[in-house]
Amino acid sequence: MKLSDAQTHALETVEARMPELSEWCATIFEHGETAWREYRSAEWYVARLRAEGFTVEEGSGGMPTAFCAEWSNGDGPIIGMYGEYDAIPGNCQAAVTHRAPREGLGYMAGGHTDPHSGLGIGALGGLLATKAAMEAKGIKGGLRFTGEPAEKVRGSKPIHAAKGYYDGLAAMLSFHPFYMLPMCNTVRWDTHCGAAYSMIYRFICDAPEAWGHGDGAPIPQSHSAIRAPGASEALVTMYSMSKSLRDSMLPHQGGWSISEAILTAGQATADNQPAGLAELQYMMRTPTVEMAKQVTAALDRNAAAVAAMTGCRWERHWVCKSRPGLANHAMANVVWDALQAAGAPKWGAEAVKIAQEIQGNLGQMPLTEPFIDEMSQLIAPQDAEAILRRDLPPSQMNSTSDDYTDMSWHTPLARFYIARPALKPNGAPYPSWVMNALGGIPATIDPMVRTAARVCALSALRLLEDADARDAAMTEFNDRTGGGVGGDKWLAPLCDYEPPIDFRWPEYIETPRGRDWWIPAAMPDA
């Protein structure tokens, strides 16, 4: 593809600002904040975007760590991009070549695994390069950049979608790091991510004296008497019952899964008192919304039975209800052209030395070429699609999950992947800290950030300058939705709940000892 003057200017801007992008990526990596608690990360993005001339709405969609930034160079199409910045509990890793938590923290603190630190800064780099080219070349139009917290629980995008933050865009660019075939340095074609539901089941034992009354056998209310089961027993029973009944929730096809996490348990001393509160979160990933509804119904039945057995009340609170993704070949072609022009990321001698040092620290013989070969290769979208479809039944239209899918029902969207650093197999499996560290060390993560920024900028400017490409993407969007937003094949937002920000999500805390994770660093190996 022949680059326009604006695209050339954007690439020069990315290169000129790479020292800043590298520093910014390291900053977000060090914050390591987890779902719904990304306070410092969101504050950093808001300040940076305002310094770059954007108007920023903080707390967009009722989410304290979300934002929406806008900039306009006059009337014209508006292109959307976004950043994610949430990390995962229990993955605290310093940007070093051996296992070590970040300074002052324990291993149980939050850490970037995907890494969203690089995801957000790669997209931000593309955004700023696009803006610079628009100003330099007089290109009319606008840019919208949303801050998306809690992606790991599919949190913000269903909410932003329902509240209109993706409406009115000419297109949306969705970037994510990856490292394995087929989704490495490519663009999704037909098979986009599927639906995802997540909820918290809350069990409350606030009337233990009523235990047994319905059966005519109430327990004595004596300190030495047997106690009512309470919320801890409800949680354990819900957990084990749902595990044992999992095979009966859905057919054994479609690549669906359910994961669970305990948010709150006990809320009582070890005295002879029933636990008053327990909360269990479920996340289900399914190809279709109908499958997610079926699993929800099964979990609801389990919760009701468990509550009756343990003398509790139960509640279900939504964390997310996310739609499956909608393909757009015209958008995929635009981004594939940009990816070919940008080229796959390349890892230099410093990155190789770091990778070899990690292998040596693990007791391995360092490889001459330690990185996975596919990291520096491109794969055409149709070829990636063919590989992806090998393990899927023909009737399955969506696979895996990520909440970018909610954006795809409001504007033409392309989902693309740029390689993140990963090491070739070399004897024993690598511990998880290795990937986390590679995502934080500048020499190993910067090639991904640079390439992502280049692809975002080249794609955005193509859409801004090429009305035919832009119109083709919108025509396809209208065809697939039966008339665009509100069309007869359009799937409306599923979000009918408030942001679930008030639960006991893991977070950093301030104590007389200073800033710490909610599991204190002073605990052995924590």
Side-chain angles (χ1 to χ4, degrees):
M1 130 183 177
K2 187 178 185 302
L3 299 184
S4 68
D5 290 344
Q7 289 174 314
T8 300
H9 189 280
L11 295 183
E12 292 169 351
T13 301
V14 170
E15 288 306 307
R17 302 201 71 165
M18 267 310 300
E20 292 175 288
L21 296 178
S22 178
E23 179 185 344
W24 298 346
C25 185
T27 296
I28 302 301
F29 180 87
E30 286 296 319
H31 287 337
E33 296 172 307
T34 54
W36 303 117
R37 300 295 185 257
E38 312 95 333
Y39 301 113
R40 291 185 175 184
S41 300
E43 181 182 29
W44 183 92
Y45 271 101
V46 168
R48 181 73 260 154
L49 286 159
R50 284 177 174 160
E52 298 287 347
F54 284 76
T55 299
V56 186
E57 175 194 355
E58 297 183 69
S60 54
M63 298 173 282
T65 54
F67 61 83
C68 181
E70 303 225 36
W71 175 83
S72 174
N73 202 35
D75 291 339
I78 303 171
I79 306 299
M81 304 181 208
Y82 65 89
E84 295 169 7
Y85 32 85
D86 61 319
I88 298 180
N91 281 272
C92 183
Q93 170 63 35
V96 295
T97 59
H98 58 275
R99 185 177 187 242
R102 301 192 308 282
E103 185 177 357
L105 297 168
Y107 291 111
M108 291 298 104
H112 285 280
T113 58
D114 268 349
H116 287 174
S117 46
L119 183 163
I121 299 302
L124 178 63
L127 180 85
L128 298 181
T130 304
K131 175 178 179 288
M134 292 173 70
E135 290 176 312
K137 304 302 177 181
I139 298 171
K140 300 300 182 184
L143 299 170
R144 185 180 303 167
F145 190 82
T146 51
E148 305 289 355
E151 189 280 329
K152 287 300 182 183
V153 294
R154 309 301 182 265
S156 66
K157 298 184 193 76
I159 296 169
H160 270 154
K163 295 181 180 292
Y165 284 88
Y166 312 132
D167 294 341
L169 295 174
M172 172 66 77
L173 299 171
S174 173
F175 151 62
H176 203 282
F178 209 66
Y179 67 97
M180 295 185 298
L181 280 176
M183 293 301 166
C184 187
N185 300 322
T186 192
V187 191
R188 277 198 183 257
W189 192 245
D190 280 320
T191 308
H192 279 254
C193 290
Y197 273 24
S198 180
M199 69 283 283
I200 295 169
Y201 286 94
R202 173 181 284 170
F203 297 97
I204 306 164
C205 182
D206 53 4
E209 70 279 359
W211 171 248
H213 273 271
D215 301 321
I219 62 173
Q221 292 303 301
S222 166
H223 185 75
S224 61
I226 188 172
R227 70 179 189 180
S232 289
E233 284 78 0
L235 184 148
V236 170
T237 306
M238 177 72 176
Y239 184 98
S240 59
M241 177 187 292
S242 298
K243 284 278 192 185
S244 65
L245 296 178
R246 187 164 299 188
D247 285 351
S248 299
M249 291 182 181
L250 285 174
H252 295 272
Q253 63 185 33
W256 61 276
S257 66
I258 308 175
S259 305
E260 59 280 300
I262 296 171
L263 286 188
T264 306
Q267 303 304 300
T269 67
D271 200 357
N272 193 16
Q273 302 286 332
L277 174 67
E279 294 171 332
L280 182 60
Q281 179 197 358
Y282 283 92
M283 165 65 77
M284 65 192 77
R285 299 166 175 85
T286 63
T288 68
V289 172
E290 290 70 25
M291 293 172 71
K293 289 179 178 178
Q294 185 172 335
V295 177
T296 301
L299 292 174
D300 282 356
R301 289 193 298 271
N302 293 351
V306 164
M309 290 179 354
T310 57
C312 294
R313 297 185 290 113
W314 71 280
E315 301 169 350
R316 176 180 19 84
H317 299 269
W318 287 109
V319 176
C320 88
K321 289 198 284 186
S322 186
R323 295 166 282 183
L326 187 68
N328 193 299
H329 293 171
M331 278 292 293
N333 283 328
V334 166
V335 176
W336 174 237
D337 287 345
L339 184 49
Q340 291 177 93
K346 304 293 182 183
W347 280 263
E350 184 181 356
V352 169
K353 181 180 178 181
I354 287 168
Q356 291 171 335
E357 187 174 319
I358 289 174
Q359 290 175 328
N361 288 339
L362 291 170
Q364 301 177 357
M365 181 66 70
L367 299 175
T368 303
E369 296 182 355
F371 292 111
I372 294 172
D373 293 337
E374 288 80 6
M375 287 165 39
S376 294
Q377 300 171 2
L378 303 181
I379 179 170
Q382 295 91 330
D383 294 339
E385 175 75 11
I387 296 171
L388 183 64
R389 295 299 314 180
R390 288 175 187 171
D391 297 325
L392 299 177
S395 61
Q396 183 178 340
M397 304 308 295
N398 297 85
S399 178
T400 70
S401 75
D402 186 297
D403 62 357
Y404 80 87
T405 53
D406 268 279
M407 298 171 160
S408 70
W409 293 93
H410 296 263
T411 186
L413 175 143
R415 171 72 160 185
F416 71 97
Y417 300 88
I418 303 299
R420 57 170 297 185
L423 303 184
K424 287 179 180 175
N426 189 22
Y430 293 105
S432 59
W433 69 260
V434 172
M435 289 285 283
N436 298 350
L438 290 170
I441 299 172
T444 53
I445 194 61
D446 286 357
M448 182 202 77
V449 172
R450 174 187 283 106
T451 303
R454 287 163 63 92
V455 174
C456 282
L458 291 176
S459 302
L461 288 164
R462 167 80 180 280
L463 291 161
L464 287 163
E465 294 185 288
D466 186 344
D468 289 341
R470 194 169 64 243
D471 291 345
M474 188 59 72
T475 296
E476 183 175 348
F477 174 76
N478 290 333
D479 289 343
R480 290 181 181 271
T481 55
V485 174
D488 56 22
K489 293 186 287 186
W490 185 67
L491 184 57
L494 304 175
C495 175
D496 54 2
Y497 50 89
E498 293 302 311
I501 57 177
D502 295 327
F503 288 91
R504 186 65 175 95
W505 300 104
E507 62 185 326
Y508 296 93
I509 58 173
E510 297 288 342
T511 75
R513 301 182 303 279
R515 189 170 189 259
D516 203 350
W517 186 242
W518 70 310
I519 299 173
M523 291 180 61
D525 203 32

